[in-house]
Amino acid sequence: AQSVTQLDSHVSVSEGTPVLLRCNYSSSYSPSLFWYVQHPNKGLQLLLKYTSAATLVKGINGFEAEFKKSETSFHLTKPSAHMSDAAEYFCVVSDNDYKLSFGAGTTVTVRA
Amino acid sequence: NAGVTQTPKFQVLKTGQSMTLQCAQDMNHEYMSWYRQDPGMGLRLIHYSVGAGITDQGEVPNGYNVSRSTTEDFPLRLLSAAPSQTSVYFCASSRTSGGLGTGELFFGEGSRLTVL
């Protein structure tokens, strides 16, 4: 069985400061891991994905995530937050079947 | 390029009424799915399909039916709506047919359903 825990339900940062969103996963296999972003009243959009290649994954809009198998973590970071980064972020795990497991989400607020 | 289109965007139902949420994609994706999103719970899979004529249950299938007669369309039916089905529903598709491990899901913009 697979599952995801997002350790923070809400993160607030100042514009221009780093962003860290924490995600731990549980999987019986070598998982694929994803981060999706959802802006208000919109559908979800893929930020980045890990599929057993390089452990440091770069995504869109300056985001990146590092897969750490020993810590079962896949934390998302961005060096400098922008106002447009205010959104909800979901960590997602797949055991390579047809079912994805979503975390509960982390809401990011960016202060001017 | 329309992507994934969901209709309606908003719907209010009374308990016991039935309705169908429509989902269409124009990307020739084999995989389509329905999720519901509730506060603090992320997205939960209701039903999915890996091709025309093939459907399967997800995590929370009770109270919902689906069918897949064409590659493009994947409607979700609520047979007798209950207040517990008040939620935001998302349809998503992917071109991956051999498992979603490397595939990207493309989402519609959601359908907000309220059951009174």
Side-chain angles (χ1 to χ4, degrees):
Chain A
Q2 59 197 26
S3 66
V4 170
T5 302
Q6 292 184 240
L7 300 174
D8 307 288
S9 60
H10 185 254
V11 169
S12 180
V13 299
S14 296
E15 190 174 22
T17 65
V19 181
L20 169 64
L21 305 184
R22 298 181 294 165
C23 172
N24 287 346
Y25 70 91
S26 172
S27 173
S28 302
Y29 304 96
S30 296
S32 293
L33 293 156
F34 309 81
W35 276 99
Y36 281 82
V37 60
Q38 183 182 28
H39 288 95
N41 300 313
K42 296 292 186 182
L44 282 72
Q45 178 186 17
L46 181 67
L47 270 181
L48 49 81
K49 62 183 179 183
Y50 166 77
T51 56
S52 74
T55 57
L56 184 61
V57 181
K58 293 187 183 299
I60 61 173
N61 300 334
F63 284 93
E64 64 180 35
E66 185 172 9
F67 173 71
K68 292 186 176 180
K69 186 175 181 179
S70 61
E71 299 177 8
T72 61
S73 69
F74 190 57
H75 301 336
L76 180 71
T77 60
K78 183 174 181 178
S80 177
H82 190 272
M83 296 299 290
S84 61
D85 295 327
E88 190 162 18
Y89 294 78
F90 294 94
C91 183
V92 183
V93 63
S94 171
D95 278 344
N96 297 323
D97 61 4
Y98 295 107
K99 301 177 183 178
L100 303 181
S101 292
F102 284 74
T106 299
T107 300
V108 172
T109 302
V110 182
R111 304 184 303 271
Chain B
N1 188 1
V4 179
T5 302
Q6 292 183 233
T7 56
K9 293 190 183 302
F10 301 94
Q11 183 72 49
V12 178
L13 290 178
K14 294 181 180 179
T15 298
Q17 288 185 318
S18 63
M19 77 157 300
T20 299
L21 298 177
Q22 301 291 346
C23 176
Q25 53 91 7
D26 61 359
M27 297 172 283
N28 201 32
H29 285 171
E30 296 180 357
Y31 178 90
M32 296 185 74
S33 56
W34 277 102
Y35 289 86
R36 59 177 290 171
Q37 182 179 26
D38 301 293
M41 302 187 73
L43 275 71
R44 293 180 291 168
L45 180 64
I46 304 171
H47 287 286
Y48 67 95
S49 169
V50 299
I54 306 170
T55 64
D56 205 348
Q57 296 181 352
E59 182 182 357
V60 288
N62 293 339
Y64 307 95
N65 279 354
V66 293
S67 59
R68 184 96 179 268
S69 57
T70 67
T71 299
E72 294 78 19
D73 300 301
F74 190 47
L76 178 71
R77 298 182 184 87
L78 284 70
L79 301 179
S80 179
S84 61
Q85 293 179 303
T86 294
S87 187
V88 181
Y89 292 85
F90 287 96
C91 180
S93 71
S94 173
R95 63 179 175 84
T96 303
S97 60
L100 284 175
T102 58
E104 173 182 354
L105 280 177
F106 292 82
F107 284 83
E109 295 202 338
S111 297
R112 187 176 297 274
L113 175 66
T114 301
V115 182
L116 303 176

